[in-house]
Amino acid sequence: MFFFFDYCPYIAIIGDIKDSRHSENRRAVQLRLKKVLNAINGEYERELASMFMITLGDEFQGLLKAGSAAVSIIDKIEREMYPVKIRFGIGVGKMTTDVDFDMPLGADGPAYYNARVMIDELKAAEQKKMESKDNVKVSIQDYADASELINTIFSLLTTIKETWTLRRVEIMNAYLNCGGTQKEAAQVLGINQSTVQKALASSNFYTYRRALESVSKVFSGIMENKNV
């Protein structure tokens, strides 16, 4: 699937920590988030138009110039911050201001508008007890049907994430950090390989990863139509 625009499209991501004001360890959560975002900025530097940064005590944002990394970034932040709950609004569109790599604050345009609307819709759904567990939503400018399809996948993935526990996520992270090797993950954690295998299976990890890879391929089709 390809999304063609007559301008250079950007992918804005706004993250919002749920119920942060009621957290007893708010400062620790903020410091942890800052560390995770710094790692994201280093790992995905080539894909970023503007680096990820905490903009408020419980909110952060970043801007991408390539869609292929968007899903991976959200997945990494969510796993590294678990069990902290985070909403993610993704907006695809143009920017109407200059983009500064080192300072996302002050940048504006439909990409950020769309991401903000998605955050607001997630909050509204939570208040109405409609889709209170969904935490990722995307709006691709001029592609409403595709946005709805992707959001349905994100919603279904919520069901998988409900099976996660802190220990299972720890094993998932070790497995991914070891390059997808169960034996090495087990050695790092000091557990049996069978324990790693059972944790991944119980978490529906492989189904989850395949779904993320499929969505990533869709996001990779976001590009400017050079022939316009």
Side-chain angles (χ1 to χ4, degrees):
M1 182 181 292
F2 292 94
F3 306 94
F4 293 114
F5 301 85
D6 59 0
Y7 56 85
C8 178
Y10 289 89
I11 300 89
I13 297 176
I14 298 178
D16 178 48
I17 298 175
K18 295 184 179 182
D19 299 322
S20 64
R21 295 181 181 179
H22 300 98
S23 173
E24 295 181 358
N25 300 307
R26 188 178 184 187
R27 177 60 177 168
V29 170
Q30 291 174 347
L31 291 175
R32 183 176 165 195
L33 176 60
K34 184 176 181 180
K35 181 178 179 180
V36 171
L37 295 181
N38 285 341
I40 292 291
N41 290 333
E43 182 175 352
Y44 295 95
E45 181 178 1
R46 291 184 178 181
E47 288 83 9
L48 298 181
S50 188
M51 68 194 312
F52 279 83
M53 181 179 293
I54 297 175
T55 53
L56 296 171
D58 56 359
E59 191 172 283
F60 58 92
Q61 66 183 46
L63 190 67
L64 284 70
K65 56 187 176 182
S68 56
V71 176
S72 297
I73 288 173
I74 287 175
D75 170 57
K76 187 176 182 66
I77 294 174
E78 188 166 20
R79 285 186 292 99
E80 294 291 340
M81 291 300 297
Y82 192 89
V84 176
K85 302 296 185 181
I86 304 177
R87 304 179 191 90
F88 294 94
I90 310 173
V92 179
K94 67 173 64 175
M95 294 295 295
T96 55
T97 63
D98 291 336
V99 175
D100 186 335
F101 179 82
D102 297 312
M103 180 55 66
L105 296 177
D108 207 358
Y112 273 122
Y113 301 159
N114 294 337
R116 175 62 60 192
V117 169
M118 294 301 97
I119 288 285
D120 291 342
E121 288 189 4
L122 287 171
K123 290 181 178 179
E126 291 169 16
Q127 293 173 355
K128 295 178 181 178
K129 306 298 182 182
M130 295 167 58
E131 301 168 341
S132 59
K133 295 180 180 179
D134 288 1
N135 71 313
V136 185
K137 202 162 188 178
V138 61
S139 175
I140 303 175
Q141 188 171 346
D142 301 324
Y143 290 93
D145 290 343
S147 298
E148 183 176 356
L149 176 59
I150 295 171
N151 286 330
T152 299
I153 296 174
F154 281 139
S155 184
L156 292 173
L157 287 176
T158 300
T159 303
I160 292 179
K161 290 185 287 187
E162 285 297 300
T163 67
W164 291 3
T165 64
L166 186 58
R167 183 54 172 168
R168 288 176 180 176
V169 172
E170 181 182 13
I171 291 173
M172 280 190 278
N173 289 341
Y175 174 76
L176 291 170
N177 291 336
C178 290
T181 303
Q182 292 185 14
K183 183 177 181 180
E184 291 186 15
Q187 291 175 345
V188 168
L189 295 172
I191 58 179
N192 295 326
Q193 182 177 342
S194 62
T195 303
V196 175
Q197 191 279 328
K198 289 178 182 178
L200 296 176
S202 299
S203 305
N204 293 296
F205 172 79
Y206 297 106
T207 300
Y208 175 77
R209 294 297 295 181
R210 284 197 298 271
L212 288 186
E213 289 169 3
S214 295
V215 177
S216 291
K217 290 180 181 178
V218 174
F219 271 86
S220 298
I222 296 173
M223 62 187 67
E224 182 178 2
N225 188 354
K226 300 295 186 178
N227 296 321
V228 173

